[in-house]
């Protein structure tokens, strides 16, 4: 199967979010036999650059002589091709990151520890580690509660009550966050592995909480400051005289 490496290849671009034509910047292949030559296998690594956005990533393509797709070719004759098993590095996101989660932080003010916890949650989601992701979401809530002034020594239920009293969250938010905390605890203590849809729901709960308590207030504060600066730069309307009387247009 050793053939000249292609100069272009179709692959999923995580930056564009779809299959794109890519330039092959590097290629390496390994191959071997198993079962006294009965099974042949090949593994190809490609360093690819997307022709659309120029994002660079690695694609691993694994094939073997037993995994074949049967079909009829254009001449109507039986034919077959190797089935490719593909993986990528960096791995494509299992869940799209929210627009406020930038490459260099979460832009929510002085909250480095929370930013790190959030980044690790999305790392676990991308790596398909649902138990760690659920545990990380509970940790994010815990860190966020401390930043909002809640005593770290309180149990989770008391922390939720305290957030309601401080008017940081409402009753419905409390119920949702209690579910998120219980899910994380189930993963910690009982090894509960949430399904993809369940994990999406937990992530939605966490993102809503973070937006309402950190992202939105931080954006309002920046917007107020920018508006104040702009206020002094906007020229006022000139008054003009009409028949000797100063009158606004």
């Amino acid at each position: 199967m050793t053939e000249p490496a292609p100069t272009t290849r179709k692959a999923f671009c995580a930056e564009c979010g779809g299959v794109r034509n890519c330039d092959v910047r590097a290629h390496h292949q390994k191959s071997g036999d198993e079962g006294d030559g009965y099974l042949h296998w090949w593994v190809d690594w490609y360093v690819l650059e997307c022709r659309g956005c120029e994002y660079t990533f690695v694609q691993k393509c694994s094939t073997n002589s037993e995994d074949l797709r049967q079909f009829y070719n254009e001449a109507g004759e039986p034919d077959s091709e190797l089935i490719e098993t593909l993986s990528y590095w960096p791995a494509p996101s299992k869940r799209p990151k929210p627009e406020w989660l930038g490459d260099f932080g979460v832009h929510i003010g002085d909250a480095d520890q929370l930013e790190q916890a959030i980044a690790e949650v999305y790392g676990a989601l991308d790596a398909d580690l649902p138990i760690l992701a659920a545990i990380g979401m509970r940790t994010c809530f815990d860190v966020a509660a401390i930043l909002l002034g809640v005593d770290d020594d309180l149990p989770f239920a008391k922390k939720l009550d305290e957030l309601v009293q401080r008017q940081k969250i409402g009753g419905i938010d409390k119920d949702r966050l209690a579910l998120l905390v219980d899910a994380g605890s189930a993963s910690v203590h009982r090894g509960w592995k949430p399904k993809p849809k369940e994990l999406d729901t937990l992530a939605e709960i966490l993102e809503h909480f973070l937006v309402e308590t950190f992202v939105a207030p931080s954006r309002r504060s920046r917007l107020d400051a920018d508006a104040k600066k702009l206020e002094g730069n906007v020229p006022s309307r000139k008054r003009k005289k009409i028949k000797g009387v100063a009158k606004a247009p």
Side-chain angles (χ1 to χ4, degrees):
M1 183 183 170
T2 302
E3 300 175 356
T7 58
T8 62
R9 182 173 173 83
K10 286 186 178 293
F12 181 86
C13 175
E15 194 74 10
C16 290
V19 176
R20 300 290 185 267
N21 289 318
C22 302
D23 289 316
V24 178
R25 297 306 184 193
H27 171 249
H28 178 69
Q29 185 186 81
K30 282 192 173 183
S31 61
D33 300 318
E34 293 182 10
D36 294 329
Y38 176 76
L39 175 72
H40 306 282
W41 58 265
W42 302 267
V43 179
D44 291 84
W45 286 268
Y46 298 93
V47 176
L48 303 175
E49 182 178 0
C50 176
R51 285 188 166 185
C53 67
E54 299 183 347
Y55 178 66
T56 302
F57 56 99
V58 175
Q59 182 194 63
K60 178 183 176 183
C61 175
S62 302
T63 55
N64 69 74
S65 58
E66 293 302 300
D67 289 337
L68 298 173
R69 184 177 72 87
Q70 308 290 340
F71 63 96
Y72 288 94
N73 59 29
E74 294 180 355
E77 300 171 343
D79 205 343
S80 64
E81 64 180 7
L82 297 172
I83 297 174
E84 297 182 337
T85 300
L86 303 176
S87 59
Y88 294 88
W89 186 89
S93 296
K94 297 296 188 298
R95 175 182 174 81
K97 295 180 176 63
E99 48 85 20
W100 45 263
L101 182 59
D103 292 335
F104 302 102
V106 190
H107 311 306
I108 52 176
D110 187 18
D112 293 344
Q113 190 175 2
L114 179 57
E115 289 184 352
Q116 181 179 352
I118 296 169
E120 291 196 10
V121 164
Y122 282 93
L125 289 172
D126 288 348
D128 199 19
L129 301 171
I131 294 177
L132 292 182
I135 295 171
M137 290 181 200
R138 189 188 74 162
T139 300
C140 285
F141 165 77
D142 207 14
V143 174
I146 295 170
L147 290 173
L148 293 170
V150 175
D151 187 353
D152 186 22
D153 293 329
L154 291 175
F156 282 111
K158 294 293 184 182
K159 288 179 180 178
L160 288 166
D161 289 338
E162 184 73 15
L163 288 173
V164 172
Q165 291 177 9
R166 290 171 177 264
Q167 297 184 334
K168 298 295 184 181
I169 63 173
I172 295 177
D173 296 316
K174 175 186 174 182
D175 293 340
R176 286 195 292 249
L177 289 168
L179 174 62
L180 181 140
V181 169
D182 288 344
S185 297
S187 293
V188 170
H189 301 294
R190 297 182 291 281
W192 177 65
K193 181 180 179 180
K195 298 175 182 176
K197 180 60 178 176
E198 295 168 332
L199 208 54
D200 270 347
T201 300
L202 294 174
E204 288 279 359
I205 294 171
L206 177 64
E207 289 173 7
H208 177 77
F209 168 61
L210 294 174
V211 167
E212 292 297 314
T213 52
F214 290 96
V215 178
S218 179
R219 285 179 172 174
R220 282 196 296 269
S221 179
R222 289 198 302 270
L223 183 59
D224 288 344
D226 290 342
K228 202 68 177 176
K229 293 177 183 177
L230 180 60
E231 185 179 2
N233 297 329
V234 176
S236 59
R237 291 188 300 172
K238 292 182 178 180
R239 301 169 67 85
K240 64 181 181 181
K241 292 183 179 181
I242 301 178
K243 294 182 179 182
V245 179
K247 196 170 185 181

